[in-house]
Amino acid sequence: MKPSILITGGAGYIGSHTAYLMSQSGYNIIILDTLNHKQSFDHNWATLIKSDFADTKVLKNIFSNYNIKAVMHFAAFIEVGESVKNPLQFYENNVVKTVQLLKVMLEHNVKNFIFSSSCAVYGSPQYLPLTEQHTKNPISPYGKNKLMVEMALEDFNIAYGLNYVNLRYFNAAGAMPQYGLGENHDPETHLIPLVLRAAMENKEFCIFGDNYETKDGSCIRDYVHVWDIAQAHKLALEYLQAGNTSDSFNLGTGEGFSVKEIVMAVEQICCAKINIALKNKRPGDPAILVADPKKASDILGWSTQYSNLDFIIRTAYENENTKNFIQNKSSTQKDKEKSHNYNKI
Ligand code: UDP
C-alpha cells in the first residue's frame, strides 16, 4: 500500500498547495476538510473526505484503512480579529479539537505531526528579525491557540513519543495557478488579494494605519510564497522520518515590505492607479514582523526559491484573473440555462 498522509484543511489555501506537492512526491493524499469556507476542490490527485477534522469515527476509519505516515494539520480558524470577538469558537476549534485529533492519532500509533503554527505566537517583537527563541507572548486568542497546541505537542512528545514540527508561518502569499491552486478566502482579509482586487475592479483600498514607526508609516510584513511553505512541509516530514528531534521553525524570507510598497508593486504589475483610503490601525497589528529563517535553513535545508515580491504578486494576480474567468464562465452557463428554461416555458 502506498504511504499516505492525512492533510486536514487540505482544500484550503496553504493546505491545498502542500497536498499537491506531497502527491507529486509519491504519497497518497487523504484530505479532511469541511469545505465550510465555500472553497471548491476539484482535483483528482487526492481523496477528499468532507468532514470535521476531529470527528472520531471518521478519523478511526482513516487510520484503520490507510497506511498514514504523518498528519499535516492546516485546518483552523484564522482571522485574528474574529478570534478577539469570538474566542470560544477559536479555543474549541483550534485547541480542543486539535487535542482530539492528536488523541485518535496516538490511539492508532500515528506519530508524525506537522503543525501550521504562526508568527503570532511571538506577540509584539522585542527585537527583529524574530528568531525561534524570542519570548512567546501572543496578543490575540488566535496566537494563544497556536501556542497552546505547540505546548501540548511538547508534552505529548515527552509522554507519548509523538514527533512534531511546528512551522511558524509569516505572511503566506502568492499562488500556483498552473496547478489550479490559489488563495480563495471568503471573506478575503489578506493584503495582496485585496490590493489586487482594488486595482482590477477600480475599488478603494484601505491602509490600516500610516503612522507606525516604519520608513513610510505603514506596517511591514515578511511575505513568503505559498509554494516555498509547501516545500518546508515536505522537508519537515523528511526531517521527522530521519528520526530527528521535534522542533519549531520560522518560515519567512528575512525581508520585509511595507503596505505602501505592496500597493506600489501591484500598481506597477497591474498598470493601474489604486485609490487609497487611510483607516485606523487594526488592533493588535505590530509595526514590523520579519523572520529570521536561519534555523529552517540550517536544520531543514529550507530556502525560499519563489518568494521574490514580483513572483508573489504576479502569481496572485493570475489567480485572481483565473477566478474571475471561472466565475464569469459559470454565470454565462447559468444565463444559458435560464434562457433555455425560459424558451421551454
Ligand atoms: N492591511 C491593510 N489593509 C487591508 C488588509 C491588510 O492595510 O485591507 C495591512 C495589515 O494591517 C497588515 C498587512 O496589511 O499590516 C498584512 O495584513 P494581512 O491581513 O494580509 O496579514 P497579517 O499580517 O494580519 O497576518
Side-chain angles (χ1 to χ4, degrees):
M1 191 166 31
K2 213 173 168 185
S4 299
I5 301 180
L6 173 61
I7 304 191
T8 74
Y13 174 42
I14 307 174
S16 61
H17 286 79
T18 306
Y20 179 66
L21 178 68
M22 297 314 296
S23 78
Q24 299 307 295
S25 309
Y27 286 96
N28 180 42
I29 305 300
I30 314 297
I31 288 178
L32 253 187
D33 202 301
T34 52
L35 301 181
N36 272 354
H37 299 277
K38 298 184 200 158
Q39 64 278 53
S40 60
F41 190 87
D42 191 16
H43 301 287
N44 59 11
W45 42 260
T47 301
L48 174 73
I49 300 171
K50 194 172 176 295
S51 162
D52 192 287
F53 69 81
D55 186 318
T56 308
K57 214 169 131 195
V58 172
L59 286 172
K60 283 184 173 168
N61 253 323
I62 294 172
F63 292 131
S64 306
N65 289 315
Y66 295 95
N67 175 20
I68 302 286
K69 295 291 182 199
V71 175
M72 295 187 177
H73 183 41
F74 294 88
F77 293 158
I78 59 164
E79 260 188 72
V80 176
E82 203 46 44
S83 80
V84 178
K85 283 188 225 147
N86 202 346
L88 193 90
Q89 275 194 357
F90 273 70
Y91 279 90
E92 184 178 34
N93 192 64
N94 295 358
V95 182
V96 177
K97 286 186 178 179
T98 300
V99 172
Q100 184 64 31
L101 163 67
L102 292 167
K103 185 178 171 207
V104 186
M105 267 179 74
L106 287 168
E107 283 167 2
H108 290 80
N109 214 26
V110 177
K111 293 214 164 162
N112 290 331
F113 190 72
I114 298 175
F115 179 53
S116 298
S117 190
S118 164
C119 61
V121 297
Y122 298 118
S124 301
Q126 309 296 306
Y127 61 83
L128 288 162
L130 286 151
T131 61
E132 288 80 357
Q133 284 73 43
H134 187 280
T135 44
K136 318 297 178 294
N137 194 12
I139 51 177
S140 67
Y142 170 78
K144 290 176 191 169
N145 290 171
K146 293 291 178 189
L147 185 57
M148 282 181 178
V149 172
E150 288 198 5
M151 290 164 92
L153 289 170
E154 203 180 326
D155 291 337
F156 290 9
N157 173 259
I158 296 164
Y160 314 124
L162 179 83
N163 308 304
Y164 68 85
V165 168
N166 298 318
L167 295 175
R168 296 181 184 146
Y169 309 156
F170 281 66
N171 287 59
M176 280 309 218
Q178 65 269 47
Y179 306 137
L181 300 169
E183 189 167 11
N184 199 8
H185 295 114
D186 184 23
E188 188 53 77
T189 59
H190 289 123
L191 176 68
I192 292 176
L194 289 179
V195 181
L196 282 165
R197 286 176 203 181
M200 292 162 77
E201 297 162 23
N202 202 18
K203 286 196 304 209
E204 196 174 73
F205 171 73
C206 300
I207 295 183
F208 298 141
D210 78 333
N211 59 349
Y212 283 97
E213 281 190 17
T214 58
K215 54 189 168 188
D216 62 18
S218 65
C219 281
I220 292 178
R221 294 289 179 271
D222 184 337
Y223 296 91
V224 52
H225 197 283
V226 65
W227 198 241
D228 280 327
I229 294 185
Q231 303 285 347
H233 287 76
K234 187 174 171 218
L235 292 170
L237 179 60
E238 288 165 8
Y239 171 84
L240 286 182
Q241 284 175 331
N244 291 302
T245 313
S246 295
D247 211 339
S248 307
F249 300 95
N250 284 339
L251 297 185
T253 65
E255 194 181 359
F257 291 97
S258 74
V259 174
K260 288 181 183 172
E261 284 174 327
I262 299 288
V263 170
M264 282 189 293
V266 169
E267 284 184 329
Q268 221 169 32
I269 288 168
C270 298
C271 301
K273 184 86 197 128
I274 296 172
N275 298 318
I276 302 288
L278 291 176
K279 286 273 159 75
N280 290 339
K281 291 177 176 177
R282 270 190 330 199
D285 256 351
I288 308 178
L289 287 174
V290 175
D292 182 342
K294 190 173 181 307
K295 187 176 170 189
S297 160
D298 289 351
I299 298 180
L300 295 179
W302 181 71
S303 63
T304 53
Q305 307 289 321
Y306 299 85
S307 294
N308 74 73
L309 190 63
D310 189 71
F311 186 71
I312 285 177
I313 295 177
R314 282 183 196 281
T315 53
Y317 184 31
E318 207 179 311
N319 178 55
E320 292 298 322
N321 277 321
T322 311
K323 273 192 305 196
N324 284 346
F325 175 72
I326 292 168
Q327 265 159 16
N328 290 340
K329 205 168 124 194
S330 62
S331 54
T332 315
Q333 187 64 34
K334 275 182 205 143
D335 288 346
K336 268 193 200 150
E337 282 162 15
K338 266 192 218 151
S339 68
H340 183 66
N341 289 342
Y342 179 76
N343 287 344
K344 271 201 290 201
I345 296 164

